[in-house]
Amino acid sequence: MTALLVLFVLVVVGGIGSAIAVNVVDRRPRPDEARYEIGRSFDRTDTALVSGGVARAIDVTVLELVDRGLVLAEDGKLTVSDEVDRLLDTPMDSPEYKPPYATDEGWILVSVRAKGRQGLDAVRRDVLKMRLRTRLRTLADRGFLVTPLRRQWGPAVVWAPTLAGMFFCSMGLITSYNPLEDSDAPAAITIFAWFPVTLLTAFIWSRRPGYHGPDPRTARGRDIVDLLRAELPDDAPQAQRVAVGGFAAMTDDALRRQVQGRADESRWSIMRRGRAGHYGVNAALAADSGMTSGDGGDGDGGGDGGGGD
């Protein structure tokens, strides 16, 4: 029985210790890995998706279109240029259809023409997000974002084996119990420890970046954005500045007012399932792109306005 009690203690200590160790290691900056991932494949849209979600990716594309003269901005109202307006009505199989924009940009231009006079928020909500959703999944697969499913079941990596180890130790104590010589107190104590120990290991493990709160970025995802922000050149285009830090990072205040208007800042915000009324556009777009908190978990309240990420 003594050996089983010692083994039980080792299982508990190992489970809690593993959760703490993962947390500590995960929070160490890894600029070399971040630089490798950036060089491997990481464009401006990827940057925007990781740093601020779907709303920020749309903002970046709108700014790029404004810079190229395909979208016109005035006091927060967006319109397409005459050329774009004509091309959007031109059949795609027509020899006259030679658009100066990509397909993904075309979807945003369609929304700008339809909703742009209502402001940037209306465009964000209207844009088709199939491609952005696919890119979010790819970024999650590369370890930059935590999906709702991983948020819910990720802690099982540590609590499940810990619970299994405690279960077998407790069963061993029960089966080896001799009513004439031993007390059944050790076995009872170990059984009562199952729930608090399991809960504690899961809680500690879930404190990792990306697994709680409104921001689903992993430590690697944050390292990438931090590196891009630190190495942002002084003459960086305004769209690139928005990609790493939202509208708050822009240096052209006049352009920011013309494009952003009264729209909320683009930043990560994950709504709780069934409570959409308490959240703004950023949380709604996160849900529209599959980044809803599936465990009734973390959001950031109703405040989508102001601030960067």
Side-chain angles (χ1 to χ4, degrees), residues 81-102:
S81 67
D82 293 340
E83 179 190 10
V84 171
D85 192 40
R86 176 183 62 81
L87 285 169
L88 291 177
D89 290 329
T90 303
M92 297 181 66
D93 58 354
S94 170
E96 297 181 4
Y97 185 73
K98 298 179 180 179
Y101 49 80

Side-chain angles (χ1 to χ4, degrees), residues 24-291:
V24 171
V25 171
D26 199 32
R27 293 177 182 275
R28 292 177 181 173
R30 294 180 175 84
D32 292 339
E33 289 186 14
R35 199 178 303 279
Y36 167 76
E37 293 292 350
I38 293 171
R40 175 184 166 198
S41 174
F42 209 80
D43 62 17
R44 194 174 292 173
T45 300
D46 290 332
T47 302
L49 284 170
V50 173
S51 70
V54 173
R56 186 164 295 180
I58 294 171
D59 295 348
V60 167
T61 304
V62 168
L63 272 168
E64 291 174 340
L65 293 170
V66 169
D67 185 59
R68 286 152 53 189
L70 302 179
V71 170
L72 309 176
E74 183 177 359
D75 296 330
K77 297 180 180 180
L78 306 173
T79 57
V80 297
S81 67
D82 293 340
E83 179 190 10
V84 171
D85 192 40
R86 176 183 62 81
L87 285 169
L88 291 177
D89 290 329
T90 303
M92 297 181 66
D93 58 354
S94 170
E96 297 181 4
Y97 185 73
K98 298 179 180 179
Y101 49 80
T103 302
D104 292 355
E105 295 174 330
W107 291 346
I108 291 182
L109 288 168
V110 169
S111 295
V112 169
R113 185 169 72 163
K115 302 289 185 178
R117 293 185 182 278
Q118 300 175 31
L120 183 59
D121 271 358
V123 174
R124 290 167 171 170
R125 294 178 186 272
D126 187 70
V127 171
L128 290 174
K129 304 173 185 71
M130 293 180 293
R131 290 282 184 89
L132 293 175
R133 185 169 189 153
T134 300
R135 293 186 75 158
L136 278 174
R137 289 173 180 167
T138 300
L139 292 169
D141 290 342
R142 292 176 64 182
F144 307 144
L145 300 171
V146 178
T147 63
L149 189 63
R150 281 183 61 196
R151 277 193 170 203
Q152 186 170 3
W153 295 106
V157 170
V158 64
W159 70 252
T162 302
L163 179 59
M166 291 188 296
F167 171 80
F168 286 115
C169 288
S170 297
M171 291 303 100
L173 288 170
I174 292 173
T175 56
S176 64
Y177 164 64
N178 185 340
L180 297 178
E181 299 179 3
D182 303 321
S183 169
D184 62 350
I189 292 173
T190 60
I191 292 174
F192 281 120
W194 289 0
F195 178 74
V197 171
T198 301
L199 188 65
L200 180 60
T201 54
F203 175 79
I204 295 173
W205 199 94
S206 66
R207 293 301 91 186
R208 299 172 63 190
Y211 285 87
H212 65 282
D215 189 344
R217 289 181 297 171
T218 63
R220 183 182 299 177
R222 296 187 186 193
D223 285 345
I224 288 174
V225 175
D226 290 344
L227 181 62
L228 290 171
R229 185 182 292 119
E231 297 184 351
L232 191 68
D234 294 336
D235 59 347
Q238 297 302 308
Q240 186 175 348
R241 292 183 174 277
V242 172
V244 299
F247 283 113
M250 291 183 67
T251 54
D252 189 336
D253 290 335
L255 179 60
R256 178 182 58 78
R257 289 191 297 269
Q258 297 294 336
V259 175
Q260 184 181 13
R262 296 183 179 181
D264 296 329
E265 177 62 280
S266 51
R267 59 189 176 90
W268 272 113
S269 176
I270 301 179
M271 71 171 67
R272 299 180 188 177
R273 181 172 293 175
R275 294 187 58 191
H278 297 276
Y279 297 81
V281 63
N282 293 310
L285 291 180
D288 197 21
S289 297
M291 297 297 290

